[in-house]
């Protein structure tokens, strides 16, 4: 099998020749740029090529094609840019590097030993419903987002690799609302069924539909999988009750998924949602989500054995191949190998599994642990 056949086989819940590997096809399956530099040096690959930002706020790097080929990655990702990427002004102030994104969110990163940007100001905090309605939201169809993508797609062999189109336009319906208003204010407003919270979620859903309408018109023939995201879980539980999710978030996700699938029948829908989300996995399936990224099995209630048993025939598990909070960064090489093999044994049977760590590889992960993880997948990830 080639990579495309391998991936399409497993996402149709059949066993391919080996487990497909994702490294760099999404924002959550890539690597922090400092860790990536160490990896390139260790491999002796692309050492003279500068790192390219995939997601600047998180420090994520775009993985070079040569590295993907070297480790046997089976999927390629496409990433739109923020429309104002080339006009963002970065300001050094009070020990931080600051910038404002296209939604009006203010971000800052420490100038000394800074690894990530954090949101520091929410543009819709303390705003009335009337003020929220006139906020200058960005244009989802802005052509500047997509100008680089035709050239990027030309470099991907469409018969060899499946393509994931990653939504880099804001965040999820729930999470973007939190970002814009602030978690405390939005969650209170949502719990009180305030008009401004409902309107904001509808506005974000509408913008997402405009975004995907543009994407599929321009590039639909080349896309196999589209990726959305909405972190609904904390380490210990859901952000909101399952009942609130079903009433307030799920209908909007259903509307979005149906729009995408009506626009391009047969396309597969990936949803990234971190944390303890076990109670709403059936809702994601009912909404039309085909692929769950990841299974964060270090979170409460996210037993990988039970998730595979209950949902493995209905949703593809993409990521969850090894814990990225403790084992990958802090474990020994042997512990990494043992844990990787354990997760392969859980998730492989019957197909429906794409290997990637639970989340993006961070800057402090030993390079030998990264290589041990992939070596184990290559050795024990074969079906025949």
């Amino acid at each position: 099998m080639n990579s495309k056949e391998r991936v399409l086989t497993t996402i149709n819940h059949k066993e391919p020749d080996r487990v497909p590997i994702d490294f760099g096809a999404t924002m959550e399956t890539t690597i922090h740029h400092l860790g990536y530099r160490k990896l390139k040096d260790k491999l002796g690959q692309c050492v003279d090529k500068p790192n390219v930002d995939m997601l600047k706020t998180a420090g994520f790097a775009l993985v070079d094609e040569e590295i993907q080929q070297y480790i046997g990655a089976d999927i390629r990702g496409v990433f739109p840019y923020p429309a104002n990427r080339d006009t963002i002004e970065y300001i050094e102030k009070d020990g931080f590097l600051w910038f404002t994104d296209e939604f009006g969110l203010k971000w800052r990163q420490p100038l000394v030993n800074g690894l990530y940007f954090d949101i520091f100001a929410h543009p819709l905090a303390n705003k009335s419903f009337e003020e929220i309605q006139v906020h200058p939201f960005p244009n989802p169809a802005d052509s500047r987002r997509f100008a680089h993508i035709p050239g990027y797609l030309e470099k991907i062999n469409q018969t060899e690799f499946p393509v994931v189109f990653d939504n880099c336009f804001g965040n999820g319906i729930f999470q973007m609302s939190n970002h814009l208003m602030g978690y405390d204010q939005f969650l209170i407003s949502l719990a009180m069924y305030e008009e401004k919270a409902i309107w904001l979620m509808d506005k974000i859903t509408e913008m997402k539909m405009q975004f995907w309408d543009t994407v599929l018109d321009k590039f639909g023939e080349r896309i196999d999988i589209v990726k959305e995201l909405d972190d609904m879980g904390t380490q210990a539980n859901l952000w909101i009750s399952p009942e609130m999710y079903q009433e307030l978030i799920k209908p909007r996700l259903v509307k979005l998924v149906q729009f995408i699938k009506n626009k391009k029948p047969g396309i597969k829908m990936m949803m990234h949602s971190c944390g303890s989300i076990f109670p709403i996995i059936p809702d994601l399936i009912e909404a039309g989500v085909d692929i769950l990224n990841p299974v964060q099995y270090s979170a409460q209630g996210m037993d990988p054995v039970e998730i595979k048993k209950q949902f493995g025939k209905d949703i593809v598990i993409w990521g969850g191949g090894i814990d990225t909070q403790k084992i990958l960064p802090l474990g020994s090489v042997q512990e990494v190998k043992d844990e990787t093999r354990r997760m392969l044994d859980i998730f492989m049977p019957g197909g429906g599994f794409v290997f990637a760590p639970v989340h993006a590889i961070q800057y402090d992960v030993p390079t030998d642990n990264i290589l041990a993880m992939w070596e184990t997948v290559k050795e024990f990830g074969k079906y025949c």
Side-chain angles (χ1 to χ4, degrees):
M1 287 185 172
N2 68 16
S3 289
K4 189 165 189 174
E5 293 166 339
R6 184 174 298 121
V7 173
L8 295 181
T9 296
T10 206
I11 64 176
N12 284 305
H13 298 276
K14 298 178 181 179
E15 293 185 352
D17 57 340
R18 66 163 174 83
V19 171
I21 296 172
D22 175 11
F23 181 48
T26 77
M27 292 183 291
E28 292 79 21
T29 57
T30 186
I31 184 170
H32 192 276
H33 68 91
L34 296 179
Y36 188 46
R37 173 53 58 190
K38 291 188 291 183
L39 177 65
K40 292 199 291 188
D41 290 342
K42 180 79 171 184
L43 296 177
Q45 297 280 331
C46 302
V47 292
D48 296 326
K49 295 179 68 174
N51 288 349
V52 177
D53 290 332
M54 176 192 289
L55 182 63
K56 188 175 184 66
T57 53
F60 294 162
L62 191 69
V63 178
D64 295 286
E65 175 66 23
E66 295 91 333
I67 301 292
Q68 291 180 311
Q69 293 273 3
Y70 185 88
I71 65 109
D74 292 291
I75 307 102
R76 299 296 182 262
V78 178
F79 308 90
Y81 292 154
N84 67 336
R85 171 176 168 150
D86 295 332
T87 59
I88 290 176
E89 183 180 5
Y90 292 91
I91 301 171
E92 294 185 9
K93 178 184 176 183
D94 300 329
F96 291 89
L97 181 65
W98 300 70
F99 79 95
T100 302
D101 72 13
E102 61 180 334
F103 285 87
L105 289 163
K106 294 186 183 300
W107 299 77
R108 70 178 189 178
Q109 175 178 280
L111 288 171
V112 179
N113 299 323
L115 297 169
Y116 317 101
F117 284 87
D118 293 306
I119 298 173
F120 188 72
H122 309 274
L124 302 185
N126 303 310
K127 300 293 186 181
S128 67
F129 178 39
E130 291 72 24
E131 289 172 317
I132 288 174
Q133 286 179 295
V134 297
H135 178 73
F137 291 95
N139 176 11
D142 193 314
S143 61
R144 292 176 296 174
R145 300 187 192 286
F146 315 110
H148 64 291
I149 290 178
Y152 191 84
L153 284 171
E154 286 179 5
K155 299 176 182 178
I156 301 174
N157 185 331
Q158 61 182 316
T159 62
E160 176 68 24
F161 298 107
V163 171
V164 177
F165 200 104
D166 201 335
N167 174 16
C168 297
F169 177 65
N171 213 297
I173 296 167
F174 173 79
Q175 195 171 9
M176 195 68 212
S177 300
N178 279 302
H179 286 179
L180 289 168
M181 287 181 65
Y183 277 82
D184 53 350
Q185 292 189 27
F186 176 72
L187 290 172
I188 291 171
S189 184
L190 187 66
M192 295 176 67
Y193 293 84
E194 288 186 343
E195 189 175 22
K196 63 183 180 180
I198 303 303
W199 184 91
L200 183 57
M201 291 191 297
D202 286 339
K203 176 66 175 179
I204 293 168
T205 304
E206 175 190 326
M207 289 194 295
K208 284 183 172 294
M209 291 169 63
Q210 293 173 4
F211 173 85
W212 287 116
D213 191 41
T214 305
V215 167
L216 294 175
D217 275 344
K218 290 179 175 290
F219 313 113
E221 292 183 1
R222 290 296 314 276
I223 300 170
D224 301 284
I225 302 162
V226 297
K227 197 207 95 183
E228 268 291 340
L229 67 167
D230 221 354
D231 282 340
M232 294 306 307
T234 69
Q235 193 72 26
N237 214 324
L238 291 166
W239 275 102
I240 57 178
S241 70
E243 292 76 18
M244 283 188 69
Y245 179 83
Q246 292 157 5
E247 180 181 1
L248 296 170
I249 311 301
K250 181 180 177 181
R252 292 169 174 82
L253 177 60
V254 168
K255 182 178 181 180
L256 178 61
V257 174
Q258 287 180 346
F259 176 82
I260 291 170
K261 291 193 171 186
N262 287 337
K263 183 83 176 179
K264 188 189 176 186
I267 201 164
K268 297 297 183 179
M269 180 79 185
M270 180 191 298
M271 172 60 73
H272 167 81
S273 194
C274 281
S276 178
I277 63 164
F278 189 95
I280 65 166
I281 293 177
D283 295 304
L284 297 177
I285 295 169
E286 290 177 7
V289 172
D290 303 290
I291 301 165
L292 174 63
N293 167 255
V295 170
Q296 187 184 335
Y297 63 91
S298 61
Q300 183 172 299
M302 295 294 287
D303 179 358
V305 174
E306 198 62 27
I307 289 173
K308 178 68 175 181
K309 178 182 177 182
Q310 290 197 32
F311 310 119
K313 293 182 180 179
D314 299 311
I315 198 164
V316 174
I317 295 166
W318 189 304
I322 189 168
D323 166 52
T324 46
Q325 291 179 313
K326 294 182 180 179
I327 297 174
L328 191 59
L330 302 176
S332 66
V333 166
Q334 190 58 51
E335 287 171 330
V336 168
K337 289 181 176 180
D338 291 344
E339 184 68 359
T340 302
R341 187 172 182 183
R342 184 176 80 90
M343 301 313 295
L344 289 170
D345 289 343
I346 292 171
F347 288 137
M348 280 179 62
F353 177 52
V354 174
F355 183 89
V358 166
H359 210 290
I361 299 169
Q362 296 301 312
Y363 72 98
D364 57 348
V365 175
T367 304
D368 286 344
N369 283 8
I370 300 173
L371 298 178
M373 172 187 69
W374 285 326
E375 289 167 4
T376 304
V377 176
K378 291 177 181 179
E379 182 177 359
F380 296 102
K382 299 173 184 176
Y383 285 97
C384 54

